[in-house]
Amino acid sequence: DWVRMARREAVYADCAQLPPLVLRTRRAGDYMRLPIGRKKLKEILIDDKVPRERRDSIPLIALADTQEIFWIAGGRRSCLAQVAESSRDIMKIECVKETTTE
């Protein structure tokens, strides 16, 4: 699973530290907690060179009823709810790209 994490296809979180989450797209005012501090989602997407036309369609895992983003699917993860040796319940969230065959 380290390969999936390295490719940013999966993240792990300590359930005891994690509030309820929702899947949604971006909204004005969204931000993420990073090791360097709080940063606007818009700035993160610009820094990561995400094309403008893709930004509104990227799936986001957000804290319910907030503007805080936990994970940009296929991209960065918040520093919230990091897994530690003391973690007992661990949640895995993965982004699987669907392929269709016709």
Side-chain angles (χ1 to χ4, degrees):
D1 252 9
W2 289 105
V3 173
R4 293 191 71 86
M5 284 180 54
R7 285 191 269 171
R8 297 182 172 185
E9 296 171 351
V11 293
Y12 292 87
D14 185 335
C15 290
Q17 300 176 30
L18 202 58
L21 301 172
V22 295
L23 175 66
R24 65 174 176 81
T25 55
R26 76 178 180 151
R27 297 179 186 157
D30 283 345
Y31 68 92
M32 185 180 279
R33 275 191 251 175
L34 299 172
I36 59 167
R38 181 176 154 155
K39 191 168 187 176
K40 291 180 183 180
L41 179 64
K42 178 182 178 177
E43 294 173 2
I44 293 170
L45 296 175
I46 291 169
D47 291 349
D48 291 351
K49 297 182 181 10
V50 175
R52 182 175 288 147
E53 58 275 2
R54 283 197 52 229
R55 295 177 193 166
D56 287 332
S57 63
I58 295 174
L60 304 171
I61 304 294
L63 280 62
D65 301 320
T66 72
Q67 294 179 304
E68 185 170 353
I69 304 302
F70 175 70
W71 183 43
I72 303 167
R76 294 195 207 193
R77 176 209 194 282
S78 168
C79 61
L80 179 69
Q82 294 285 338
V83 175
E85 285 187 41
S86 60
S87 300
R88 293 186 183 268
D89 293 321
I90 298 170
M91 178 191 306
K92 176 184 178 183
I93 305 171
E94 60 185 321
C95 178
V96 179
K97 189 172 186 177
E98 185 177 79
T99 57
T100 58
T101 56
E102 294 180 25

